[in-house]
Amino acid sequence: MDPKNELKPATLAIHAGEGVRAPGQPVAPPVVQSATFLWGEPGEGELLYTRYGNNPNQIQVARKVAALERMEACAVLGSGMAATAMTLLALTESGDHIVASSRLYGATGTLLAKELPRRGVETTFVDPFEGDWEAALRPRTRVVFLELPTNPTLRIPDPRPVVELAHRRGIPIVCDATFASPVNFQASSVGVDVAIQSATKYLGGHSDLIAGVVSGPKAVIDRVVAMSHLYGPSLDPHAAWLLDRGIRTLDVRVERHNRNAMEVARWFDGRAGIDAVVYPGLPSHPDHETAKALFRGFGGMVGIVLAGGAEAADAFVGALELAFAAPSLGGVETLVSQPRHTSHRSMTPEARLAQGIPDGFVRISVGIENSADLTADFERALTRV
């Protein structure tokens, strides 16, 4: 493991994965925009081919993310869903079984419920707060899958009892921790075996690339990479370079996201026309104590529920002038979306409500703008509603 892993996240985000320092070497890594590399026989070393994930830009950013996650290795892929899919395909085969939290990003839930069964892999979904994880396990359970915090409801089920149970049974724990980023939460610190991030979000940080990363033991990552050779979701070298550049400011950006989101959440809390404010940093949040115990910061995501329901939510989002109405999250700009129109549109209103997503729910990815400017924009929109 890279000795730089002992450094703090802010330092790792800049220096981890860097090559040999020597006079004449560039401070910023160059883009190696090549699909293939000169090679004739095994004696000439590893066969380098960008689809294999071993382009220099891919290697550098993978080492950096592994260091940030305090994991042994990392694979960098073309999207967060590519990272999720390749991981689950690498860890299972026909006849196997997965136990997953019922509180998941919509596409992840669809992958588990509809796509993997076509390949002979079944999933049992467990409510992470009221369900019985142990009862859901089977002899051929190969993965336990969690999401922390949950999208979009920002719930934080305590992963430690589930990790202990899975490890007692020899089952790896996979956790999507995109909403936290490795700055706020290192999944390895609670025993998670494999951590997934949609690098499109906080790691990239500028809404200008699509990428995903999966970190864990080298033996697992080797299997993920081998699976990606077949399915082909490699990351373009230039996108890998952009991802590395984004990560260099990850720590300072997340610090500002954390601070702005707390200020925005407090501003919305108790305001007329708002039925609920969902933010782990507020003492009213049901998982506030868990968040304090596990996370360095409470994150840049805030949920609000407008009293007027779907009509009020549509009007509020449509009246915003500074914040953008757009899917995705984790960028420097503030983005708002309604899960009923985006990430959870495939669910019925009743199913969404059961997960804590009423039709008046608006998800806010708080950016790094001046927080007073943001709250002024929100106030104008609420007034128009």
Side-chain angles (χ1 to χ4, degrees):
M1 190 174 291
D2 191 331
K4 288 190 174 69
N5 270 19
E6 300 305 316
L7 300 174
K8 304 298 184 186
T11 307
L12 290 172
I14 297 170
H15 293 292
E18 63 188 8
V20 177
R21 293 185 175 188
Q25 293 294 311
V27 171
V31 181
V32 183
Q33 194 69 50
S34 182
T36 189
F37 299 80
L38 299 177
W39 189 87
E41 57 185 48
E44 295 177 355
E46 181 184 6
L47 172 62
L48 302 182
Y49 188 50
T50 294
R51 180 167 66 82
Y52 289 174
N54 54 15
N55 176 291
N57 295 116
Q58 297 164 327
I59 291 172
Q60 177 169 3
V61 74
R63 288 174 177 167
K64 179 168 289 187
V65 174
L68 283 167
E69 293 280 18
R70 310 289 184 187
M71 296 285 197
E72 187 178 12
C74 171
V76 180
L77 299 169
S79 70
M81 281 308 301
T84 300
M86 293 303 100
T87 300
L88 295 177
L89 287 171
L91 293 176
T92 60
E93 58 185 38
S94 182
D96 286 344
H97 176 247
I98 295 171
V99 175
S101 168
S102 61
R103 308 289 184 96
L104 296 173
Y105 170 57
T108 302
T110 300
L111 173 71
L112 290 164
K114 296 183 178 180
E115 180 60 23
L116 288 184
R118 296 175 63 242
R119 287 156 171 74
V121 179
E122 295 183 29
T123 297
T124 299
F125 292 95
V126 176
D127 185 302
F129 298 98
E130 300 177 2
D132 188 336
W133 289 95
E134 188 161 19
L137 298 177
R138 300 179 188 175
R140 292 198 63 170
T141 300
R142 298 292 182 260
V143 175
V144 173
F145 192 97
L146 304 173
E147 186 175 284
L148 292 174
T150 61
N151 178 7
T153 56
L154 304 178
R155 294 299 306 272
I156 305 171
D158 190 340
R160 292 168 291 188
V162 186
V163 169
E164 194 276 331
L165 169 65
H167 286 177
R168 201 167 64 238
R169 300 281 289 269
I171 303 169
I173 289 272
V174 178
C175 179
D176 181 338
T178 296
F179 271 32
S181 87
V183 171
N184 279 338
F185 174 59
Q186 290 170 335
S188 60
S189 67
V190 296
V192 166
D193 301 288
V194 179
I196 292 172
Q197 302 272 345
S198 172
T200 308
K201 284 45 173 204
Y202 288 106
L203 295 180
H206 293 79
S207 302
D208 57 4
L209 64 90
I210 301 291
V213 294
V214 51
S215 307
K218 185 177 183 301
V220 172
I221 300 306
D222 285 347
R223 293 166 66 181
V224 172
V225 170
M227 190 63 63
S228 72
H229 288 183
L230 299 176
Y231 283 83
S234 62
L235 187 64
D236 175 79
H238 186 255
W241 183 88
L242 281 174
L243 177 56
D244 178 77
R245 187 176 70 166
I247 291 174
R248 290 168 184 269
T249 59
L250 176 65
D251 191 84
V252 292
R253 285 188 288 103
V254 169
E255 182 179 338
R256 182 63 170 262
H257 287 300
N258 289 342
R259 184 168 72 248
N260 275 2
M262 178 66 83
E263 292 177 7
V264 166
R266 286 172 173 162
W267 183 88
F268 274 115
D269 196 25
R271 195 162 291 270
I274 302 296
D275 271 352
V277 179
V278 182
Y279 187 64
L282 296 178
S284 58
H285 190 280
D287 309 317
H288 178 65
E289 293 302 319
T290 303
K292 284 203 307 182
L294 297 183
F295 291 178
R296 173 187 168 191
F298 297 114
M301 303 300 297
V302 176
I304 59 172
V305 180
L306 280 91
E311 184 177 352
D314 287 340
F316 172 78
V317 171
L320 293 170
E321 298 176 1
L322 185 62
F324 296 123
S328 199
L329 59 108
V332 293
E333 61 284 298
T334 296
L335 301 178
V336 300
S337 66
Q338 297 184 65
R340 68 190 177 95
H341 294 325
T342 56
S343 60
H344 292 69
R345 64 184 180 275
S346 64
M347 299 173 64
T348 66
E350 294 75 21
R352 285 195 297 267
L353 186 60
Q355 290 207 7
I357 313 171
D359 282 350
F361 193 106
V362 175
R363 190 187 77 177
I364 305 172
S365 173
V366 181
I368 64 173
E369 303 98 333
N370 180 279
S371 61
D373 291 336
L374 290 174
T375 54
D377 190 35
F378 295 141
E379 185 165 30
R380 282 193 298 270
L382 280 178
T383 299
R384 291 175 186 176
V385 171

